[in-house]
């Protein structure tokens, strides 16, 4: 158990809908990272927040957004969902903004029908 | 640019050594990592190596880094059935980790 929690574990929704994925980092970690894992794209970095501020941005679509709250938990919002958004979404956390060790949560499996 | 490549599949017998290989392209990477993903689970950091090192050993795991060839390998000694998983190498690129495609290791009894 990495100490990073993600909810929900599974999510099934329809195209065009909007969903919110939630992540709680390990106690004491200030950074939260979001990744998408799909069969065709592999594991891709989406976005990082550090202490409430956006720190780095990867291959995140405009339909997706994220935020980190004062209690350091983070939410990833996915809107206007498409079939191709079906994937595993992982959250990871680390102590600092640029540290070596990222600890991953168990992931949220999103299925868009 | 950043690109990390791995072979897709490796099959070994229990008790043998496993060697998983990875090539990367970003010569400025400072750290390189190995993660393990078991079915239905998240990624678990196994080990990492700083780019000025050639080798790092941690119990049954040995990481070798050939910076000239941009080649990274993970050797698992005395491989067990519980080692069956997908193994990802990753490089620390600019502001993010770049992951390889993953190598599925199958350990048969």
């Amino acid at each position: 158990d990495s100490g990073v929690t993600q909810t929900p574990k599974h999510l099934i929704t329809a195209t065009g809908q909007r969903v919110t994925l939630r992540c709680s980092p390990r106690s004491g970690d200030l950074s939260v990272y979001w990744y998408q894992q799909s069969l065709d794209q592999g594991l891709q970095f989406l976005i990082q927040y550090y202490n409430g501020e956006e720190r780095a941005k990867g291959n995140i679509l405009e339909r997706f957004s994220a935020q980190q709250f004062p209690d350091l938990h983070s939410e990833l919002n996915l809107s206007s969902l498409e079939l191709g958004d079906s994937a595993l979404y992982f959250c990871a956390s680390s102590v600092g903004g640029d540290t070596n060790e990222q600890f991953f949560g168990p992931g949220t499996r999103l299925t868009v029908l | 640019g950043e690109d990390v490549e791995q072979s897709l599949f490796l099959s070994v017998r229990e008790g043998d050594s496993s060697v998983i290989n990875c090539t990367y392209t970003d010569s400025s990477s400072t750290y390189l990592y190995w993660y393990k993903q078991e079915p239905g689970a998240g990624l678990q950091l196994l080990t990492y190596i700083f780019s000025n090192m050639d080798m790092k050993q941690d119990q049954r795991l040995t990481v070798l880094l050939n910076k000239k060839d941009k080649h990274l390998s993970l050797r698992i000694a005395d491989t067990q059935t519980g080692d069956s998983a997908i193994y990802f190498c990753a490089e620390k690129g600019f502001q993010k980790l770049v992951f390889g495609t993953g190598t599925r290791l199958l350990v048969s009894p």
Side-chain angles (χ1 to χ4, degrees):
Chain A
D1 184 356
S2 67
V4 179
T5 59
Q6 290 186 247
T7 56
K9 195 166 182 174
H10 300 278
L11 199 47
I12 302 174
T13 189
T15 53
Q17 295 298 304
R18 172 189 166 96
V19 296
T20 297
L21 313 184
R22 183 188 166 105
C23 167
S24 292
R26 291 186 323 155
S27 176
D29 284 0
L30 297 179
S31 270
V32 169
Y33 310 77
W34 286 99
Y35 292 86
Q36 180 195 58
Q37 186 179 35
S38 61
L39 282 174
D40 53 344
Q41 296 288 329
L43 193 58
Q44 302 246 330
F45 167 71
L46 296 178
I47 198 164
Q48 177 198 358
Y49 277 80
Y50 173 70
N51 205 21
E53 300 287 327
E54 183 184 303
R55 175 109 174 174
K57 214 165 184 174
N59 302 324
I60 188 165
L61 300 171
E62 284 191 16
R63 299 183 285 109
F64 297 180
S65 65
Q67 58 185 139
Q68 187 179 28
F69 294 86
D71 67 353
L72 301 175
H73 90 272
S74 178
E75 291 180 358
L76 179 67
N77 300 296
L78 315 176
S79 61
S80 303
L81 285 166
E82 301 175 359
L83 296 177
D85 298 327
S86 295
L88 259 174
Y89 290 84
F90 288 108
C91 164
S93 73
S94 68
V95 170
D98 189 29
T99 46
N100 289 326
E101 297 187 58
Q102 293 184 24
F103 295 87
F104 280 73
T108 293
R109 181 171 291 280
L110 173 66
T111 302
V112 182
L113 300 174
Chain B
E2 301 150 334
D3 195 16
V4 181
E5 293 191 357
Q6 299 177 238
S7 52
L8 290 179
F9 188 74
L10 176 65
S11 179
V12 300
R13 289 201 175 272
E14 195 172 21
D16 288 349
S17 291
S18 307
V19 179
I20 302 171
N21 295 301
C22 169
T23 56
Y24 61 98
T25 55
D26 188 352
S27 58
S28 64
S29 293
T30 51
Y31 289 90
L32 295 130
Y33 307 82
W34 283 104
Y35 281 84
K36 175 184 180 183
Q37 184 179 28
E38 295 183 80
L43 278 73
Q44 174 196 354
L45 177 64
L46 289 177
T47 187
Y48 62 89
I49 188 167
F50 187 50
S51 58
N52 70 352
M53 296 170 66
D54 297 324
M55 185 182 90
K56 181 178 180 182
Q57 188 151 1
D58 185 0
Q59 298 182 330
R60 291 191 298 124
L61 305 179
T62 303
V63 179
L64 295 178
L65 175 60
N66 181 330
K67 205 174 174 189
K68 175 174 164 288
D69 294 338
K70 299 193 190 78
H71 183 265
L72 182 74
S73 68
L74 174 70
R75 179 177 180 270
I76 306 173
D78 187 26
T79 314
Q80 303 297 307
T81 53
D83 295 324
S84 292
I86 301 176
Y87 291 80
F88 291 90
C89 69
E91 62 175 343
K92 190 171 184 182
F94 178 64
Q95 292 185 321
K96 63 181 180 181
L97 290 182
V98 178
F99 286 86
T101 49
T103 299
R104 184 178 293 276
L105 173 65
L106 179 63
V107 183
S108 52

